[in-house]
Amino acid sequence: MPGVAAGFYATTADPYAQVRVERDVRQFRTTVSGDILRSDEAIVSFLLRPEAVVQTGDVIGGTAELFWSEAGFPTTAQVQLTPVATQDGTEAVSVQLGTGPGAPSLTLVRQDRSLRRLSLVMHAIKGLALPNPSLVDANAAGETLPTVMKAASIEVAVPAGIQTRSELSSRALDPQRIVNPAELEAMLREWGSPPASVGLADDWWLHVVFAGRLEGGRDVLGIMYDTQSQNADPPRQGLAVFLNTKTLSDFRQTDPVAWRRHVLFTLAHEIGHALNLPHCAERNAPAALSWMNNPFTFAGGSEAFWSGFKDRFDDDELCFLCHAPHIDIAPGTSNYAVRQSRLIAGSGGPPGGLVALAASGAPVRAAAALTPVKRCAKGQPVPLYRFGEPVFLKFTLANLGEARFPYPKSFDPSDGLLTVTVTRPDGRSRTLRPAMALCQHHPEAWLEPGGEPASFDGIFASFDADGPLFDLPGRYRVTARFAGLPGPPLAAAPATLRVLHPTRAEEIAAVTVWDDPGLMRAIYLRQPLLALDRWQELVERYEAIARDGADPDDTTAAFLRYTAALGWMQRFAPASRKRAREPDPEKAREHLRAGQHPQLPSGAAGKLRRLEDDASGVTAEPGLSRRSRARPRRASPAPPAPSARSRR
């Protein structure tokens, strides 16, 4: 294929231009993409797909799709690439975007054969058992992170290797302790020092942390935690790998080769998320043998996945990684799962049927249901919610067959197996997109035929990474698909609920939350100290609403108390504070007692029972459940409500 050589071309002046040329000599296919940027802002990106390429001699041209940083501009234009002879023999091309007078024409010099470049800053909490440094060394023999990413035409550099840190904000770190998302973000800012500019190819930058375990994450192997821009901080620049999870700890002790493989897989998987790639199941490709799939939920089991996996991204993912517009892929630009182009889908396809097939081929008959946790009021056909009232959903899985079967105990959308879709009163549908996606080994249990269904009633659906889902008065329909069983996703029976028209005070209180991403994040993470001043103002607003006309079915006040209790159950140590705030079980109990409501998730009552038992020293006898302990428990009276300024 004569003419323009494959590779990455760029200018050095502002506005900065870059062009990527991919040439498949076996199939005679050429793909061209590029970006024109000014400082740290993309002006326009273009994509010339193989089917649109016209080659005349050495010149490549055709009609390209355009992706602008602002709306209102043309969506296509003619693009032409012509080889340019240089005095020093450097390969270069002249790129003309558009036709006619004034069409920009730029000369770009070939920089590399790889189409993208990415720099990683890696830190680990001192004292952890770390992988061999060769894992991230581009010059090491065998399969390494740089060789894996180079197969996707991404040149990865880890200039300083894996550096260890023993302190965060002048506080000592225990390698065995559990970390929370706020601490991960503090590590990103304090240890990583993200660059101010995210505009140029050479500026692609990610921070990687090796830590022990994630708070509340069960067996979470990795996470790309900054999915959204917060307080003007760019998103998609931080990820973490948790080395003390049960899965990785077991492999480290019994199978070092498998341990290295899983650490490498987790790194590549989370980097994929940081470059805005979804899970395979989210784009209806659950059988893909890709870094973005989950070996533990693969049809046929993890052994079937590893036996067929060729250490690569699949073709759709490779196309996105090589040619996605700058604003879709570059770390620090758009929020996770926000994409202008349609190079890759962000969610799964249509729901599956009632019957799923096990890996052995034996039929497994299961049924699923999704229902609001709040029950119908007397005489009402559907549950009624006050405007801005928290919405929790319950997912239930039942065995309709004659044989027991295993299932993953991962019914929250953040686990990656359950997809919830909300159809609004205006007819538009939204798929609930968790603010945080966990990549983990899902714990497994068995579902007996004719036995008690498995369920989870803590699905928080009021808002997600894209904002509020129930911000219009009217009737809503909620549906779900569960991808945790072999075969096609299992469709849950749909449910409906109604949001009432607001009073003026209710609308003001609701939009106070919805217009404040920091406050929504504090509520989602159940940590009011992340936005303390706005949290206190919110509590005061809802106290005033309750005084003006108390509704015993309204769960909002109880939910705020429940959230405050969870905040007091966590250690809070952001980089901005000189002293960490340690958990206070007594304050947590105080809020939980006042926050009990029969229409909140069962977890609220369960947490109160555990705190009460911890305070009284009650332990379970062998073989007895928490509900069958010897000492009877009396309900504690709710204390007087403290002032808003003393709450969390």
Side-chain angles (χ1 to χ4, degrees):
M1 299 176 70
V4 178
F8 172 72
Y9 296 77
T11 63
T12 55
D14 194 359
Y16 178 85
Q18 55 191 31
V19 167
R20 297 167 293 276
V21 180
E22 181 185 12
R23 311 202 76 172
D24 188 333
V25 296
R26 292 169 299 178
Q27 300 185 31
F28 294 94
R29 289 167 58 89
T30 299
T31 308
V32 180
S33 60
D35 311 287
I36 299 177
L37 310 102
R38 180 183 294 117
S39 299
D40 61 351
E41 179 185 13
I43 300 174
V44 63
S45 298
F46 67 87
L47 172 63
L48 184 59
R49 297 178 185 266
E51 58 270 21
V53 169
V54 176
Q55 181 154 348
T56 306
D58 290 344
V59 178
I60 296 174
T63 302
E65 301 168 54
L66 300 184
F67 307 94
W68 297 86
S69 57
E70 298 179 2
F73 292 92
T75 57
T76 61
Q78 292 296 310
V79 172
Q80 183 172 290
L81 277 70
T82 306
V84 174
T86 60
Q87 292 183 348
D88 60 1
T90 304
E91 292 177 293
V93 295
S94 171
V95 179
Q96 182 170 329
L97 185 61
T99 57
S105 180
L106 301 168
T107 298
L108 295 83
V109 177
R110 189 170 184 263
Q111 308 289 323
D112 199 346
R113 182 167 182 81
S114 294
L115 303 183
R116 309 278 196 184
R117 287 180 284 186
L118 174 65
S119 179
L120 301 180
V121 174
M122 290 189 163
H123 287 102
I125 297 176
K126 191 173 183 178
L128 284 172
L130 297 175
N132 190 291
S134 65
L135 185 71
V136 298
D137 186 351
N139 298 315
E143 188 179 53
T144 66
L145 182 63
T147 61
V148 161
M149 299 307 295
K150 192 164 187 174
S153 205
I154 300 175
E155 195 76 28
V156 167
V158 190
I162 303 174
Q163 308 168 69
T164 58
R165 291 286 187 273
S166 59
E167 291 186 345
L168 179 65
S169 302
S170 302
R171 296 189 298 271
L173 287 174
D174 181 351
Q176 303 306 316
R177 71 179 300 273
I178 297 172
V179 299
N180 59 48
E183 289 172 316
L184 291 175
E185 292 178 1
M187 294 172 188
L188 167 65
R189 294 190 298 271
E190 187 174 323
W191 297 350
S193 301
S197 170
V198 295
L200 308 183
D202 293 339
D203 290 335
W204 281 24
W205 180 97
L206 288 176
H207 185 238
V208 180
V209 168
F210 290 99
R213 287 191 296 145
L214 178 67
E215 183 178 78
R218 291 174 287 190
D219 201 9
V220 175
L221 276 63
I223 186 173
M224 191 275 292
Y225 52 86
D226 62 333
T227 58
Q228 294 176 278
S229 176
Q230 298 289 343
N231 301 320
D233 292 333
R236 293 191 290 110
Q237 288 191 307
L239 58 102
V241 176
F242 303 103
L243 299 175
N244 287 347
T245 56
K246 184 179 185 304
T247 296
L248 290 183
S249 295
D250 289 348
F251 279 131
R252 185 176 67 244
Q253 297 170 17
T254 61
D255 190 342
V257 174
W259 181 65
R260 187 181 190 278
R261 178 181 64 188
H262 278 80
V263 172
L264 176 60
F265 189 93
T266 305
L267 278 169
H269 183 103
E270 298 306 331
I271 289 173
H273 282 321
L275 299 179
N276 218 357
L277 282 178
H279 287 122
C280 294
E282 292 179 64
R283 56 187 183 88
N284 203 29
L289 294 167
S290 161
W291 295 106
M292 300 312 297
N293 214 333
N294 187 338
F296 301 107
T297 58
F298 190 75
S302 59
E303 290 186 8
F305 176 85
W306 291 115
S307 65
F309 182 51
K310 303 301 182 185
D311 302 333
R312 66 187 298 272
F313 295 94
D314 75 6
D315 290 344
D316 289 341
E317 293 162 346
L318 286 172
C319 180
F320 181 86
L321 292 173
C322 292
H323 299 292
H326 173 86
I327 197 169
D328 281 6
I329 186 173
T333 53
S334 58
N335 288 342
Y336 176 67
V338 176
R339 309 177 189 93
Q340 283 194 15
S341 67
R342 296 183 180 180
L343 286 178
I344 201 160
S347 60
L354 177 67
V355 179
L357 296 179
S360 64
V364 171
R365 297 191 66 242
L370 186 72
T371 56
V373 171
K374 194 171 185 181
R375 297 182 293 276
C376 298
K378 186 176 181 180
Q380 296 294 332
V382 298
L384 302 179
Y385 287 81
R386 302 285 289 266
F387 193 80
E389 183 178 357
V391 176
F392 283 92
L393 303 174
K394 179 179 180 179
F395 179 78
T396 303
L397 180 67
N399 185 345
L400 303 183
E402 298 179 355
R404 65 199 299 253
F405 61 79
Y407 72 95
K409 296 174 63 177
S410 302
F411 292 167
D412 192 275
S414 64
D415 296 323
L417 299 180
L418 186 72
T419 302
V420 175
T421 301
V422 177
T423 303
R424 296 153 48 91
D426 58 8
R428 292 186 299 164
S429 293
R430 276 261 309 273
T431 297
L432 189 152
R433 191 165 67 85
M436 191 174 296
L438 307 178
C439 302
Q440 61 183 319
H441 180 198
H442 303 287
E444 195 172 81
W446 288 84
L447 200 56
E448 302 293 339
E452 186 75 17
S455 65
F456 174 64
D457 65 356
I459 300 172
F460 182 70
S462 299
F463 51 79
D464 65 357
D466 299 316
L469 283 96
F470 298 91
D471 55 345
L472 292 176
R475 190 181 183 93
Y476 289 79
R477 184 174 185 266
V478 291
T479 58
R481 293 179 300 108
F482 182 59
L485 300 178
L490 182 67
T496 56
L497 61 90
R498 180 176 290 277
V499 174
L500 301 175
H501 285 268
T503 64
R504 182 175 183 275
E506 287 173 338
E507 184 169 6
I508 291 174
V511 299
T512 297
V513 177
W514 299 336
D515 289 346
D516 189 335
L519 185 54
M520 284 195 290
R521 178 172 171 272
I523 294 173
Y524 183 86
L525 294 176
R526 310 292 192 267
Q527 182 46 273
L529 282 180
L530 290 170
L532 182 58
D533 291 342
R534 284 108 70 201
W535 169 265
Q536 291 170 334
E537 292 173 5
L538 180 68
V539 170
E540 290 173 351
R541 288 186 185 278
Y542 277 106
E543 282 182 340
I545 291 172
R547 286 194 300 269
D548 291 342
D551 178 358
D553 290 330
D554 186 359
T555 61
T556 307
F559 171 70
L560 294 177
R561 287 293 201 129
Y562 173 60
T563 302
L566 295 185
W568 281 114
M569 293 170 70
Q570 306 174 45
R571 185 176 188 268
F572 183 70
S576 58
R577 295 179 64 96
K578 294 182 179 179
R579 185 171 61 87
R581 182 73 64 87
E582 299 299 331
D584 189 326
E586 184 52 45
K587 287 189 177 181
R589 275 192 294 272
E590 175 185 312
H591 283 291
L592 278 173
R593 289 169 187 156
Q596 295 299 301
H597 194 289
Q599 304 211 60
L600 277 182
S602 58
K607 286 181 173 62
L608 178 59
R609 284 197 301 270
R610 287 192 291 274
L611 283 171
E612 297 282 17
D613 288 348
D614 290 343
S616 59
V618 175
T619 57
E621 298 177 18
L624 292 182
S625 69
R626 187 176 298 275
R627 294 182 179 180
S628 59
R629 294 176 181 172
R631 190 176 69 86
R633 184 186 300 107
R634 292 188 301 171
S636 302
S643 66
R645 292 291 168 186
S646 67
R647 292 184 184 175
R648 273 185 40 205

